[in-house]
Amino acid sequence: MKTLVLGASGQLGQCLKAVASKRNIDTLDFPDESVANILDVEKLRTLFAERKPAYVINCAAYTAVDKAEDDVDLCRLINKQGALNIALLCKEFGAKLVHVSTDFVFEGAIPELLKEADVAEPINIYGLTKLEGEADIIDNLNEHYIIRTSWLYSEYANNFVKTMLKLGADRDELSIIADQIGSPTYAIDLANAILDVIASGKTEYGVYHYSNEGSISWFDFAKGIFDISDTQVKVNPIPTSAYPTKATRPKFSVMDKTKIKTTFGIEVPYWRDSLVRCIEQLSVMDKA
């Protein structure tokens, strides 16, 4: 069964490619954005007609959270209209959709595990447009798996882990936010989970949550990165108020993963174990 990956050049797309290679899965198709622009419906329709996918994984998104506050139209165009375009084409061509969403659809004001059925009340434009995209998929395509994730990182693209390692190499001291709590997600683990969902053949469509196990702050995350990489940096905990940003972030966005674990039999690694694997892989890549 051919699986079409949209947003193939991004962080998750690259992780899907790496995981598919490691697992000897040769049915994934990674088209270039020049022929897979989710805003160009006619080009996308041609792609669907030519490739005839049974599944589509949508990794394409506008993810610049702070920039989105000023770039509302483009953010909505990609996260909402783009998602709708894909959903309608999946319906037209009989494909099942795996769509990646975010913990930022939640307000995150209460320190309780977030379940799929909990009311989503985004507090920034990025989260709002991702929720709008979810709604358009739900309204137009029955055969969908929406997977919300959080704090994505890997050895690919730009992310918090790579930023911390770079800063840690140049500085002796850093101040990191300690009052935003969430769960880091190693994008390699998410890629494996997505492929497990597809491989299961199960038709329990709907919304699912996936992140690594555990709940930590950005401060804890940074400390873990420096500890595992043996980088000598003094890390100071600071409140959100000491580092104002354009977009407001949830204070607590730890998601309950029970549904995806029980439905598909997926084992979710602990955040620190996955971070060790990522930093080891970065070290190997640096030496190559």
Side-chain angles (χ1 to χ4, degrees):
M1 294 184 296
K2 179 164 284 188
T3 298
L4 191 64
V5 180
L6 302 177
S9 65
Q11 177 172 213
L12 182 55
Q14 292 182 69
C15 287
L16 282 162
K17 188 175 293 186
V19 168
S21 176
K22 187 174 183 179
R23 291 172 57 165
N24 294 315
I25 298 173
D26 61 4
T27 54
L28 267 65
D29 190 352
F30 298 91
D32 186 83
E33 270 79 356
S34 62
V35 295
N37 184 340
I38 65 171
L39 300 181
D40 190 330
V41 176
E42 289 314 309
K43 273 192 178 180
L44 211 53
R45 179 176 282 110
T46 299
L47 181 68
F48 272 64
E50 290 175 349
R51 311 290 174 91
K52 298 179 173 58
Y55 288 86
V56 174
I57 303 172
N58 180 32
C59 306
Y62 184 113
T63 59
V65 179
D66 289 314
K67 191 177 177 183
E69 296 296 307
D70 294 320
D71 206 5
V72 179
D73 290 345
L74 180 59
C75 184
R76 178 164 283 120
L77 194 62
I78 295 170
N79 292 345
K80 174 180 163 62
Q81 186 62 50
L84 176 59
N85 293 343
I86 296 165
L88 292 174
L89 285 169
C90 282
K91 186 173 183 179
E92 181 179 340
F93 287 90
K96 300 174 178 66
L97 174 61
V98 180
H99 176 76
V100 181
S101 192
T102 174
D103 60 323
F104 276 27
V105 299
F106 294 107
E107 180 182 13
I110 302 172
E112 295 179 358
L113 287 180
L114 295 161
K115 294 179 171 58
E116 289 83 354
D118 287 345
V119 176
E121 296 180 322
I123 53 176
N124 56 50
I125 294 298
Y126 166 66
L128 175 61
T129 58
K130 289 295 288 183
L131 183 61
E132 291 170 346
E134 287 186 15
D136 281 347
I137 291 168
I138 292 168
D139 288 345
N140 290 280
L141 180 68
N142 292 329
E143 296 177 316
H144 67 263
Y145 309 92
I146 294 170
I147 302 180
R148 294 171 178 156
T149 192
S150 62
W151 297 21
L152 211 59
Y153 72 92
S154 71
E155 50 269 37
Y156 303 103
N158 296 318
N159 56 69
F160 186 76
V161 171
K162 292 175 75 174
T163 297
M164 287 298 104
L165 289 172
K166 183 178 180 181
L167 291 175
D170 297 331
R171 301 185 191 179
D172 297 323
E173 188 172 352
L174 291 169
S175 296
I176 307 293
I177 290 172
D179 59 354
Q180 293 175 21
I181 308 299
S183 299
T185 306
Y186 185 25
I188 290 288
D189 291 340
L190 176 59
N192 271 302
I194 289 171
L195 295 182
D196 287 344
V197 168
I198 291 173
S200 76
K202 292 187 176 181
T203 57
E204 281 82 356
Y205 304 118
V207 179
Y208 291 88
H209 289 168
Y210 185 92
S211 66
N212 284 129
E213 298 284 20
S215 57
I216 60 172
S217 68
W218 291 107
F219 168 76
D220 298 321
F221 196 10
K223 290 277 285 184
I225 293 165
F226 296 135
D227 178 47
I228 293 164
S229 64
D230 196 26
T231 303
Q232 303 304 309
V233 182
K234 181 181 179 184
V235 185
N236 303 309
I238 59 170
T240 298
S241 59
Y243 188 75
T245 56
K246 194 83 173 180
T248 305
R249 267 78 168 172
K251 286 284 189 180
F252 187 92
S253 61
V254 182
M255 298 183 292
D256 188 316
K257 277 85 69 174
T258 302
K259 184 179 176 184
I260 198 167
K261 289 190 287 187
T262 56
T263 303
F264 301 104
I266 291 172
E267 295 184 6
V268 181
Y270 184 61
W271 73 269
R272 190 177 177 91
D273 295 334
S274 291
L275 181 58
V276 168
R277 288 190 288 118
C278 179
I279 290 176
E280 287 176 346
Q281 185 60 31
L282 280 167
S283 179
V284 169
M285 292 169 70
D286 286 343
K287 292 174 183 176

